[in-house]
Amino acid sequence: MHSADWIVLSAYLAATVGIGVLLGRKVKSTADLFAAGGASPWWASGLSAFMTMFSANTFVVWGGMAYEHGIVAIMVNLCYGIAALLAGYTVAGKWKRLGIRTPAEFVERRFGKGALHFYTWSMMIYRMVGAAGALYAIATLTVAVTRGSDTAVSVGGMPPELVTAILIFAAVVVLYTMIGGLWAVLMTDVIQFIVLNVAVIFVVALILLDIGGLGGFIAQAPEGFLSLTSGRYTWFFLFGWVAIHYFMIGAEFAFVQRYLCVPTARDARRGTVLFGLMYLFSPFLWLLPPLLWRVQSPIPEGATDDMIRVLKEEAYIKSCRHVLPIGMVGLMMAAMFSATASLISSQLNVFSGVLTHDIYRPLRNQITDRSLLLAGRLFTLLLGAVIAGIALCIPMLGGAERVIISITELMVVPLLAPILIGLLSRKVNVGALWLTAGICIPLGLMLHFRLIVPPQDSAIGQWLFDQSKTFVGVVLPMVIVLVAHLRARGVDHRWRRIEALQAAETEAEATRTGRADAAPARIVGWSMVVLGAGMTCLIPLNPGQRSIILLFALLVAAIGLAMLGGARYLQSRNAS
């Protein structure tokens, strides 16, 4: 990268930490640290949930799929939008009406302490490994851009640049999450959303100019590249992917936290619907660069599997480097870091909240909220160190990303279906949870490690085996939980504790104004104005692309001014 790109990336990282420090002034209690005091604007909650789905693996995995298979990558990502809309209309408001501080509190009240520990530790391990994989991916992309070559290395040969990148990126995320809490997570997510999408818009526009527009792309696209399904990504897989992510968005702790941080149940629904609507069109935008790059840099005839893998992994960043002016590559790397930071900060905040309120607090007879706040920040620091440590060991794990994708397909619904059904059904008890986990997770692990092998001489048997992960990971747990609901007699005794919470929250919500804090919109607005003004400094370095950079700077500044206008309106409405 050019020195200007490094300056842009470094300034972005410093500004991110600065926003965390600024928002740290709003954090006076654990309610502020882990739930933004219940005063987050609904749009911030929705955009933050949208960004939580992103990481550097989004560009490597889904970008690679788009480069190799085509439009099917967009179809897979549209499933997130459908799942979010379903969650918004069915469960987002219900979570807010519970009046809980953390999602783990619901698990304990609904299913008991055994279930609380099972979910806390199993989901924490799964999500920490996923966050570490994302941290390793963004560090690898950064070093790849720096070196201009592949950085796949063995454990003994990990370059010091990669170690440094992992530690710096981890430190930035931990600092702003530890100081600013959920407020910092939400606000940086909104800024990251704007930067990412504006940067991608410019990449797409420049690539389309380079290949002669969409017509040129369609004419040059490989055979089958525009098909809606491909290979193992069948309509049955897409159905399963919607179901998996309905349960993930509807019940995973990081997303439930977004439903709890807004003033009212209506705000929780609106934020989740915004998340879903954004995912119904945004994949068409941010997956276009690798799709178009396939036309610019086709897969050579006779390419080996290793060559194809490298081409896939590098497709996104190479498409950006090919067209972006000096300084804008640094901004694109900042956008990719932003996506990864969103995922990591969300997991840090939600699990430090669970450890503080639901694991540590019951161990202390008397403890002040100030002491809890300190404990929450220390847990954030500890979990950040764990993520960085795992990221440094990723080469030793040998392709952890592939394992994470497979485990997601096999374990999300068995873990989360009982929680979600337990929210909707008064009859389901803890037995359904243990039965679902006890049957589906061992079967899924047997399939993953190929302890169950497909029949060698049966086409139907082979097809059934190919679909078995979706069946075991999606259909079977849903069937088990629904059967448990139908066979249950009467209301589960633990549901009474949930009813008491709901009654208290309904009474409290009736006295609230439902007005969100106007400060977040001001912070985002000024950040965008400063970013737009700063981008004009790149004009002298790119004499042939002055108009493009100026247009980018004006667009970002205009978004900032619009946010500032919205903040003034919100402040005046709150004052009236």
Side-chain angles (χ1 to χ4, degrees):
M1 290 197 300
H2 191 276
S3 57
D5 294 301
W6 284 114
I7 292 172
V8 170
L9 178 58
S10 301
Y12 187 90
L13 296 179
T16 301
V17 174
I19 290 172
V21 173
L22 180 63
L23 287 165
R25 299 175 182 178
K26 297 177 68 65
V27 179
K28 306 298 184 185
S29 66
T30 53
D32 297 323
L33 189 69
F34 302 123
S40 168
W42 64 269
W43 51 266
S45 170
L47 294 182
S48 178
F50 176 93
M51 288 302 298
T52 299
M53 297 297 293
F54 275 78
S55 74
N57 283 332
T58 300
F59 303 99
V60 174
V61 175
W62 301 127
M65 181 194 291
Y67 177 80
E68 182 179 19
H69 296 290
I71 297 296
V72 65
I74 294 177
M75 293 297 296
V76 172
N77 281 269
L78 290 178
C79 294
Y80 299 151
I82 298 171
L85 288 174
L86 291 173
Y89 284 112
T90 57
V91 298
K94 291 182 181 293
W95 280 112
K96 178 60 185 175
R97 288 199 185 98
L98 292 178
I100 54 177
R101 291 169 298 183
T102 67
E105 183 182 347
F106 168 79
V107 175
E108 181 182 7
R109 288 175 176 269
R110 187 70 176 84
F111 296 114
K113 283 191 175 294
L116 169 67
H117 284 279
F118 171 72
Y119 274 108
T120 297
W121 300 113
S122 59
M123 289 301 296
M124 187 185 302
I125 292 170
Y126 162 61
R127 275 311 194 178
M128 291 300 102
V129 174
L135 177 61
Y136 177 81
I138 185 58
T140 302
L141 282 175
T142 304
V143 176
V145 171
T146 304
R147 289 186 162 193
S149 60
D150 183 28
T151 57
V153 291
S154 63
V155 178
M158 177 180 278
E161 303 99 308
L162 188 56
V163 175
T164 302
I166 288 173
L167 295 178
I168 290 175
F169 288 150
V172 169
V173 179
V174 170
L175 276 174
Y176 80 72
T177 306
M178 181 175 67
I179 297 171
L182 188 59
W183 272 121
V185 174
L186 292 170
M187 293 305 99
T188 53
D189 279 356
V190 174
I191 294 170
Q192 290 156 2
F193 168 83
I194 297 171
V195 171
L196 174 67
N197 284 280
V198 172
V200 171
I201 286 171
F202 275 82
V203 171
V204 170
L206 292 171
I207 296 178
L208 286 175
L209 288 173
D210 195 42
I211 65 172
L214 280 176
F217 164 68
I218 294 171
Q220 299 173 66
E223 183 179 355
F225 206 62
L226 304 180
S227 299
L228 300 182
T229 58
S230 174
R232 73 179 289 252
Y233 304 108
T234 63
W235 288 110
F236 185 61
F237 173 88
L238 295 177
F239 161 77
W241 207 242
V242 171
I244 287 170
H245 287 87
Y246 170 71
F247 285 101
M248 179 181 286
I249 296 168
E252 192 185 359
F253 289 0
F255 292 103
V256 173
Q257 191 183 40
R258 297 323 187 258
Y259 312 147
L260 303 181
C261 70
V262 293
T264 67
R266 180 171 176 264
D267 290 322
R269 286 193 300 272
R270 292 168 72 190
T272 313
V273 169
L274 173 64
F275 166 23
L277 292 175
M278 293 300 301
Y279 246 110
L280 287 184
F281 77 85
S282 62
F284 290 98
L285 172 65
W286 52 263
L287 281 177
L288 266 178
L291 285 170
L292 301 174
W293 185 245
R294 178 64 182 273
V295 171
Q296 294 175 293
S297 179
I299 297 176
E301 289 285 342
T304 64
D305 289 343
D306 283 341
M307 290 175 62
I308 294 173
R309 177 185 59 80
V310 172
L311 288 170
K312 288 165 53 179
E313 291 177 350
E314 296 180 347
Y316 212 109
I317 192 62
K318 282 190 172 180
S319 66
C320 297
R321 288 178 62 191
H322 182 69
V323 296
L324 285 175
I326 293 173
M328 292 288 287
V329 175
L331 188 67
M332 193 66 206
M333 288 306 302
M336 291 185 177
F337 164 76
S338 298
T340 305
S342 175
L343 180 147
I344 297 172
S345 61
S346 295
Q347 303 305 329
L348 283 176
N349 189 261
V350 72
F351 283 113
S352 61
V354 172
L355 290 175
T356 301
H357 273 297
D358 303 290
I359 303 296
Y360 174 70
R361 185 173 186 170
L363 300 177
R364 301 290 301 272
N365 293 328
Q366 292 184 341
I367 186 169
T368 64
D369 201 58
R370 183 179 178 83
S371 298
L372 274 181
L373 182 61
L374 176 61
R377 285 176 164 153
L378 289 176
F379 279 126
T380 303
L381 179 62
L382 176 63
L383 291 176
V386 170
I387 290 174
I390 296 173
L392 292 172
C393 297
I394 287 292
M396 196 186 311
L397 302 177
E401 293 86 354
R402 193 174 303 171
V403 174
I404 292 166
I405 293 172
S406 182
I407 296 299
T408 297
E409 190 176 4
L410 289 170
M411 296 187 66
V412 166
V413 179
L415 284 172
L416 298 179
I419 293 181
L420 197 60
I421 301 302
L423 176 68
L424 299 173
S425 168
R426 299 181 299 170
K427 298 165 62 177
V428 168
N429 57 38
V430 70
L433 182 155
W434 298 123
L435 189 63
T436 304
I439 293 175
C440 298
I441 292 178
L443 275 177
L445 293 175
M446 291 171 68
L447 285 170
H448 174 71
F449 292 108
R450 291 206 166 259
L451 299 178
I452 301 175
V453 296
Q456 301 297 318
D457 55 354
S458 170
I460 295 178
Q462 180 65 47
W463 181 86
L464 290 173
F465 181 82
D466 291 340
Q467 310 303 320
S468 59
K469 285 187 177 181
T470 301
F471 177 79
V472 171
V474 179
V475 178
L476 184 58
M478 292 171 64
V479 169
I480 292 173
V481 175
L482 289 174
V483 168
H485 165 76
L486 294 174
R487 289 180 59 84
R489 297 182 180 277
V491 177
D492 180 47
H493 69 281
R494 286 195 175 94
W495 180 258
R496 305 299 181 192
R497 304 172 70 185
I498 303 301
E499 288 181 328
L501 278 176
Q502 289 177 321
E505 174 62 19
T506 300
E507 183 178 346
E509 187 171 307
T511 64
R512 291 189 195 129
T513 62
R515 293 172 179 174
D517 196 331
R522 285 198 300 272
I523 293 171
V524 174
W526 280 116
S527 299
M528 291 297 98
V529 170
V530 171
L531 177 61
M535 294 310 296
T536 60
C537 298
L538 300 177
I539 292 177
L541 300 175
N542 299 274
Q545 295 175 301
R546 290 174 179 170
S547 59
I548 293 172
I549 296 175
L550 181 60
L551 181 61
F552 176 88
L554 291 175
L555 178 59
V556 171
I559 293 172
L561 292 173
M563 295 291 293
L564 290 173
R568 291 193 190 95
Y569 168 76
L570 185 60
Q571 188 173 16
S572 63
R573 192 187 70 172
N574 289 346
S576 62

